[in-house]
Amino acid sequence: MISDRASTPKGNILLVDDTPENLHLLSELLIDQGYKVRCVMNGQTALKAARAKAPDLILLDIMMPQMNGYEVCQILKADPQTNEIPVIFLSALDEVLDKVRAFSVGGVDYITKPFQFEEVLVRVKNQLALKTAEVKILQLNAELEFKVKERTNQLKERSFELELANQELQQEIAERKLLEKQLLHIALHDPLTGLPNRALFMERLKQAIKRAKEESIYQFAVLFLDCDRFKIVNDSLGHLVGDELLTAIATRLQAFLKPVDTFARLGGDEFTLLVEDIKDASNVTAIAERILGELSRPFYLDKREVFMTASIGIVLGNIRYNQPEHLLRDADTAMYRAKASGKARYHVFDPTMHQEALELLQLETDLRRAIERQEFVVYYQPIVALATGKITGFEALVRWQHPTRGFVSPGDFIPVAEETGLITSIGTWVMRSACEQLRIWQEQKLAQDSLTMSVNLSVPEFSQPNLIAHIDQILHQTQLSPQSLKLEITESAIMDKDGSVTSILQQLRNRQIELSIDDFGTGYSSLSYLNRLPVDTLKIDRSFINPIDNNPESLGLVPAIISIAHTLGMSAIAEGVETPQQLAKLRTLNCGFGQGYLFSKPLDSKLVVDLLAADPLY
C-alpha cells in the first residue's frame, strides 16, 4: 500500500476505542489512505477533543469503561457545537437491538467487529463524501444568492442587459438544480449497486407506516435478506469479485420486482425489500420463494461459477408499528431465525420472537455484569488413563451461578458470550483460575507434577493477536509449569489458509504446552492438514461414544479416529464415557484416555481435593 501521508489529508477523523491494538491498527490504515487521525481511549477525552477541534468524522467504539459509545454520541448530538459531526459506530455487538440503538442516538452507520478494512474505508469515504456534498450545496446556495443580488442591482442600472443576465441566471439555476439532484442521488443511493440506501429505504418505510394508518385496506411487508456464507466468497476470490457478486444479485432480483416496491442495500451483504399493496401474507411468501429460486441459479463471475443462497426474514406491516426501525428490527430478527434453521429459507416474524430477542439481550446484559461481579466458578472433570485407571488430569469447565436465575447452563450462555466477544474475558479468567488451582494442589502435595489441566480455547480467543502473550503472562503469574497446561481447540479454529494457525500452534508447542483438538470428527479437518499441525491429542466427541451401548458391535468412527491418532503419533481421549460397556470397548480399542460421568461428574475445587486424597482406581 502506497502511503500518501505527505499530501493534503482527505479528512480529519477522530478514532475512539479503549483497546490500544484497535487504535493502532485502524489509525495506521486510515493514515496510509491519506486521512488525518486523532486517537483517544475514552468517552470524556473524545468529547473534549471534538469540542476543541471538530473532526470531519468520528469512528466510535460502543463498549468502553465509564462512558459507553451510546452516551458519547447522545452528548455530541445534544451540543450545537458538535451535533453536525457524523458518527460511525464500531463494535463487536452484532445484535439487531444494538444496531437500532446506535441509529436512534444519532449514529449514521454501524460496522461490526471484527471488521474488514475495505468495508471501513468505503463507509468512511461515503460519509465524508456526503458531508462534502452538503457543504458544497450550502456553498453553491450562498454563491447563487450573492450572484442573484448582484445581478439584480446591475439590472436596475442597466436595463438593456436584462435579457442576457436573465438567461445566464436561469442557466446557473438549472445547473444548481442538476447538481443538487446529482448530490441528492448520491446521498440516497448505494454507490456499488445503485440501489436505494438505508436512508432512502427508511424514508419510504416511514411513508408506508403513515399510509397504513390512514388507509384501512392498505397493507405492506418488509423482507430482510442476508447472503449466506458471503464471507467465503470474499476470502477466497477477493473483494472485487465479492462486489461483482453483490451487483449481480441486485440486478437479478431487481429485474422481477415491481417498480412501486423499494429494493435497497443496507450495507455489506444485507438487502431489504419494501413490498406495497399486498393482499395477504401469501403474496409476500411467494416473493420470498421467487427470490430464493432466482438465487439458486449460478452466477458467473471472473470466469468462475459461484452459487449463493440467502436467509430471508419477513415482517407484515400493521398499524401497531410507529417507527420504521422497529419493522426493520423485527425483519432482521426473523432473518436470523431463518439462518439458524438451516439458511437458504425464509421465516415470518411473530411477536414471540421479539420477546425471545429481549430475553437474549437481558442474558447478554446479565453476562456482562457476571464478569464484573465474578459470578463464574470453575468445575473440574477428571481425565483417566484407561490402561491404568488412574487420574492423569482435569478439564476446567466454567459454570455460572446467576444471583436470581440460579444455575445457567453453559449451552445457554457460551454461544451468547462467543457472539458478543465476552468469551475472551471469560476464557482468560477460566485459564488463570484453573492454573492457580492446579498450582495450589501441587503445593499442597495433592497432585503430582505430571497432573495436567485442560482448558478450552474458543475460536474468538484463538484469534486474538496477543494470545501467546496472554498465556505467557498467566503462566508467569501463577508459577505453573507450561507442561502442566493443555489447551483444547475446536477443528474450526485451526482451519485457516494463511499459515498463521500453524505458527501459533508451533509457538505453544515450543513452550511445551500440549494441544488437543476438541470434539474431533464433528468438523471438517483435512488429514493431510492435520498431519502438519503440532497437535498432541484428539478428543473423540461424545456423539460417537453414546451409540456403543445400543449396538456394541457398531463402533462407527471410533476405531478410525483412534487409529488416526496412533498413526499421527497422538493420543486419543474419549468424551462422554458413561457406562462400563463403553469403557470396556474403549479399552479393547486401545484408547488412551477417557472422560465422563462413569468416572466422575464435574466437581468444585473442594470435592476435587477429596477425590485426589482418595486416589481412586477406575
Side-chain angles (χ1 to χ4, degrees):
M1 184 179 296
I2 299 175
S3 175
D4 55 356
R5 298 189 186 188
S7 62
T8 302
K10 297 180 181 178
N12 296 315
I13 299 176
L14 179 60
L15 181 56
V16 187
D17 197 312
D18 64 336
T19 305
E21 293 88 345
N22 289 347
L23 284 175
H24 175 74
L25 173 62
L26 195 51
S27 65
E28 282 295 313
L29 293 172
L30 289 171
I31 290 171
D32 282 342
Q33 289 297 319
Y35 296 100
K36 185 176 181 180
V37 180
R38 287 182 290 162
C39 299
V40 298
M41 296 184 67
N42 58 65
Q44 291 291 353
T45 307
L47 293 174
K48 292 179 182 179
R51 290 164 179 159
K53 184 177 180 181
D56 298 315
L57 178 66
I58 297 176
L59 297 180
L60 180 59
D61 188 25
I62 292 178
M63 298 310 299
M64 297 185 295
Q66 298 180 354
M67 180 183 295
N68 63 39
Y70 297 136
E71 296 169 331
V72 173
C73 189
Q74 285 178 317
I75 295 173
L76 288 170
K77 296 305 174 182
D79 188 348
Q81 184 180 353
T82 58
N83 62 4
E84 295 297 326
I85 303 173
V87 176
I88 297 178
F89 284 98
L90 289 170
S91 177
L93 304 177
D94 195 34
E95 293 297 320
V96 63
L97 293 178
D98 298 316
K99 297 179 182 178
V100 170
R101 185 178 179 188
F103 288 109
S104 68
V105 299
V108 299
D109 210 339
Y110 190 107
I111 303 174
T112 303
K113 296 180 181 178
F115 52 77
Q116 294 289 333
F117 176 66
E118 289 82 359
E119 179 185 4
V120 175
L121 184 60
V122 168
R123 298 200 184 193
V124 167
K125 182 178 179 181
N126 286 346
Q127 290 302 326
L128 290 176
L130 289 177
K131 186 172 182 181
T132 301
E134 293 171 357
V135 173
K136 183 65 176 178
I137 290 175
L138 292 175
Q139 180 182 352
L140 288 172
N141 287 338
E143 291 175 355
L144 181 61
E145 183 178 358
F146 174 80
K147 289 182 179 180
V148 170
K149 291 180 179 179
E150 184 179 46
R151 295 293 175 85
T152 301
N153 293 332
Q154 292 175 352
L155 289 172
K156 289 180 180 178
E157 298 174 1
R158 297 176 295 176
S159 59
F160 66 90
E161 297 178 355
L162 179 61
E163 185 65 24
L164 178 60
N166 183 61
Q167 291 177 0
E168 292 177 352
L169 182 60
Q170 292 301 320
Q171 179 66 24
E172 289 187 9
I173 291 174
E175 291 176 355
R176 179 179 68 88
K177 290 183 177 179
L178 178 60
L179 180 58
E180 286 183 345
K181 183 178 180 180
Q182 293 172 342
L183 293 175
L184 185 61
H185 185 274
I186 292 174
L188 296 178
H189 289 78
D190 172 49
L192 176 64
T193 63
L195 294 175
N197 62 11
R198 178 187 292 271
L200 181 55
F201 183 81
M202 298 303 274
E203 181 59 33
R204 298 271 178 86
L205 193 51
K206 185 184 299 182
Q207 295 172 7
I209 293 174
K210 180 180 178 182
R211 184 180 171 189
K213 293 182 181 295
E214 295 172 349
E215 303 176 24
S216 59
I217 62 172
Y218 171 74
Q219 295 185 71
F220 69 96
V222 173
L223 285 76
F224 195 114
L225 287 74
D226 184 89
C227 296
D228 300 325
R229 302 171 72 244
F230 177 76
K231 186 176 184 297
I232 295 178
V233 176
N234 265 349
D235 291 346
S236 59
L237 302 181
H239 289 278
L240 292 179
V241 176
D243 288 347
E244 187 181 352
L245 175 59
L246 292 173
T247 302
I249 290 173
T251 301
R252 183 179 293 183
L253 298 187
Q254 198 174 24
F256 74 88
L257 296 174
K258 295 186 299 182
V260 68
D261 299 332
T262 302
F263 185 44
R265 180 186 177 218
L266 295 192
D269 58 342
E270 295 178 340
F271 296 86
T272 50
L273 174 63
L274 170 61
V275 184
E276 302 197 54
D277 292 311
I278 62 173
K279 294 181 180 180
D280 52 43
S282 63
N283 298 143
V284 187
T285 56
I287 293 175
E289 290 172 355
R290 175 72 184 276
I291 291 173
L292 294 176
E294 291 291 333
L295 292 179
S296 66
R297 295 188 290 112
F299 294 89
Y300 296 94
L301 310 171
D302 192 28
K303 300 179 181 179
R304 294 175 181 269
E305 188 178 53
V306 177
F307 288 87
M308 180 55 57
T309 61
S311 299
I312 305 175
I314 301 173
V315 61
L316 303 176
N318 56 64
I319 60 174
R320 292 193 299 273
Y321 283 104
N322 297 309
Q323 299 295 329
E325 294 82 4
H326 295 167
L327 272 158
L328 199 61
R329 173 201 66 196
D330 292 347
D332 193 20
T333 300
M335 181 275 295
Y336 275 107
R337 180 62 61 86
K339 196 174 287 289
S341 300
K343 303 178 182 180
R345 64 192 63 200
Y346 65 83
H347 197 94
V348 181
F349 176 83
D350 66 75
T352 60
M353 295 169 60
H354 179 56
Q355 182 59 36
E356 291 173 0
L358 291 176
E359 292 174 357
L360 190 61
L361 179 62
Q362 184 61 51
L363 180 63
E364 178 188 341
T365 301
D366 291 348
L367 197 57
R368 295 182 186 278
R369 290 174 180 167
I371 295 174
E372 297 173 1
R373 299 172 182 174
Q374 297 184 350
E375 296 172 359
F376 296 104
V377 293
V378 180
Y379 275 52
Y380 305 91
Q381 187 171 37
I383 298 173
V384 175
L386 300 188
T388 64
K390 302 284 288 184
I391 295 175
T392 62
F394 289 88
E395 179 181 358
L397 302 169
V398 65
R399 297 290 185 264
W400 180 13
Q401 188 63 39
H402 192 283
T404 58
R405 298 173 58 180
F407 175 76
V408 180
S409 169
D412 292 333
F413 74 84
I414 291 297
V416 177
E418 290 181 341
E419 291 176 9
T420 57
L422 297 174
I423 192 65
T424 56
S425 297
I426 298 173
T428 299
W429 178 85
V430 170
M431 184 179 296
R432 180 176 289 106
S433 299
C435 290
E436 286 177 351
Q437 187 61 73
L438 179 56
R439 184 59 183 155
I440 290 172
W441 291 334
Q442 290 175 343
E443 291 175 348
Q444 294 174 346
K445 306 300 182 183
L446 294 171
Q448 300 293 328
D449 290 341
S450 60
L451 193 73
T452 60
M453 181 64 70
S454 297
V455 179
N456 289 282
L457 206 60
S458 66
V459 174
E461 290 177 272
F462 192 73
S463 302
Q464 293 181 98
N466 53 357
L467 171 66
I468 301 297
H470 276 168
I471 294 174
D472 286 343
Q473 183 182 35
I474 290 173
L475 292 174
H476 176 73
Q477 291 173 345
T478 61
Q479 293 298 299
L480 183 70
S481 170
Q483 296 95 322
S484 299
L485 178 62
K486 298 183 70 171
L487 297 178
E488 297 190 3
I489 309 167
T490 61
E491 290 182 75
S492 58
I494 64 170
M495 297 299 292
D496 78 334
K497 302 178 181 64
D498 59 10
S500 61
V501 164
T502 305
S503 175
I504 294 173
L505 294 179
Q506 191 58 56
Q507 291 181 66
L508 294 171
R509 167 62 68 83
N510 292 342
R511 287 161 172 76
Q512 296 183 306
I513 297 172
E514 291 195 28
L515 302 169
S516 298
I517 296 183
D518 198 14
D519 301 332
F520 184 79
T522 61
Y524 306 95
S525 290
S526 163
L527 293 182
S528 61
Y529 182 61
L530 182 64
N531 189 35
R532 299 195 301 269
L533 298 176
V535 175
D536 303 282
T537 306
L538 300 182
K539 295 197 75 173
I540 307 172
D541 187 70
R542 65 180 65 247
S543 61
F544 296 110
I545 305 300
N546 290 339
I548 293 178
D549 278 339
N550 298 327
N551 186 357
E553 301 305 320
S554 179
L555 300 175
L557 292 177
V558 175
I561 296 175
I562 294 174
S563 177
I564 290 171
H566 292 166
T567 301
L568 297 179
M570 305 176 187
S571 59
I573 300 178
E575 295 183 293
V577 181
E578 298 182 354
T579 68
Q581 190 175 30
Q582 293 171 350
L583 176 59
K585 282 296 179 181
L586 290 168
R587 279 176 166 156
T588 301
L589 294 171
N590 198 25
C591 181
F593 302 89
Q595 178 181 351
Y597 275 42
L598 178 64
F599 309 117
S600 172
K601 65 180 182 180
L603 306 170
D604 62 26
S605 57
K606 294 181 180 179
L607 292 177
V608 171
V609 169
D610 296 338
L611 182 66
L612 290 173
D615 192 21
L617 190 65
Y618 298 101

